[in-house]
Structure formats: C-alpha cells, structure tokens
Amino acid sequence: MALRTIRVIGDPILEKETKAVKEVTDKTKELIRDMFDTMYDANGVGLAAPQVGILRQIFVVDIGDGKRFVCINPEVTPLGDEVQTGEEGCLSVPDKQGIVTRPMKVHVKAMDINFQPYEFDAEGLLARAMAHENDHLHGIMYVSKVEGELEDVEYEALDEGEQ
Ligand code: NI
C-alpha cells in the first residue's frame, strides 16, 4: 500500500485543467491503486488525480455500496432537471463542509482501468460524488459552489461525505 500526499486548497494544481489519458500503463495502474489506498486511508468516498498532484483525467469513487469506480477520461452529464441540495466535503479541504446543489442523476461515460469504455447512470450520493470528482478534473473546487458559508465538520460526521 502506498499513500500519496493529498494536495490541499491553496495549491495551484487544484485549479488546473487536466489532460486526457492516452494509454493505461503500469504506472497508471500504480497511480490508481495508490489513489484508492490514499482515499480509504483518509476515509474519503472519492479522489481525483489532481488531488495527488497528477494533472490527468482520472478519478476513483467508492461510496461504500460495494462498488469501486475507476473513471478515466470521463464525461459526466446531468440526467433530467432534478437536483439535490446537501452537505459536501473534500479531502483537499480538511475538516470543512458546505451545502452544494448537484444533479440528482447523472450519466457517466468513461474508460475503465483496462482502458475499455463503459457507461452507467448514477443517482443520489453516487451522482454527487461523480459530479464532485469530475469538477476536480476541470480545476473546480466545491467551495466555489457552496451556498452560504463553509462550516467546520462536527467530528462524528467525519465518516460521511468527504470526497
Ligand atoms: Ni474533492
């Protein structure tokens, strides 16, 4: 298990656009393994490559429903007009949370860890995680979308929602 350093808000790399992945090499697979290790170690539900200093279109998500998602070169598109408004956090913004409105459902097209295309619909927390991580690939931090003020996370709430 190899942990990577999570970049925190203020680091300019978090505000940069990422580049598409052209091929999945052993190095890419190592990066993805490290991203999962780093995310689980930090009790997160998602992590995007820029958060570990890599400007490539890769994110991983596991909201604890038994599925691990690797999304390479993803396209995340809202499905319908329904939205959800709720607490969101980010491993790059430690100990903070804020209210963000996201699509209730999204459609995701991506390449998997073997660089094969796949697609799926996501809703609820999974849709929120997909939208949040996809934003990281375009240099967008959730704090720019927070309605009202960022709040300090209550300690007992740390298990949920950090991305
Ligand atoms: Ni985040």
Side-chain angles (χ1 to χ4, degrees):
M1 155 158 163
L3 300 181
R4 307 236 178 167
T5 302
I6 298 177
R7 306 298 183 96
V8 297
I9 189 164
D11 188 321
I13 207 161
L14 292 170
E15 296 184 6
K16 292 195 167 139
E17 187 67 32
T18 55
K19 289 190 172 142
V21 173
K22 294 194 178 110
E23 61 174 341
V24 169
T25 62
D26 288 348
K27 203 175 156 193
T28 319
K29 290 185 176 177
E30 184 184 0
L31 167 66
I32 290 167
R33 275 196 301 273
D34 290 354
M35 284 171 66
F36 274 115
D37 288 344
T38 303
M39 179 185 81
Y40 291 131
D41 181 69
N43 294 314
V45 299
L47 190 71
Q51 293 181 275
V52 293
I54 307 289
L55 286 172
R56 289 286 167 188
Q57 292 176 9
I58 304 172
F59 65 71
V60 298
V61 166
D62 180 348
I63 63 165
D65 64 352
K67 291 183 191 146
R68 290 157 56 111
F69 292 90
V70 174
C71 295
I72 298 174
N73 300 345
E75 290 173 40
V76 177
T77 316
L79 272 181
D81 298 328
E82 198 184 347
V83 296
Q84 53 180 323
T85 298
E87 294 286 0
E88 203 164 301
C90 178
L91 293 177
S92 293
V93 191
D95 303 327
K96 297 285 181 187
Q97 63 185 17
I99 301 287
V100 182
T101 296
R102 299 281 189 186
M104 182 58 84
K105 294 181 184 171
V106 296
H107 184 70
V108 180
K109 288 175 75 168
M111 312 294 272
D112 66 15
I113 195 165
N114 297 310
F115 215 48
Q116 296 301 307
Y118 72 118
E119 49 192 291
F120 56 94
D121 294 342
E123 68 177 288
L125 177 58
L126 187 60
R128 177 179 293 281
M130 293 290 161
H132 176 115
E133 299 313 328
N134 193 55
D135 275 355
H136 276 299
L137 303 186
H138 302 289
I140 299 166
M141 298 285 284
Y142 88 100
V143 296
S144 69
K145 298 185 168 181
V146 165
E147 297 157 32
E149 299 293 316
L150 270 188
E151 301 156 10
D152 293 331
V153 176
E154 299 293 327
Y155 216 76
E156 61 273 16
L158 268 177
D159 281 350
E160 53 187 52
E162 278 210 286
Q163 288 158 14

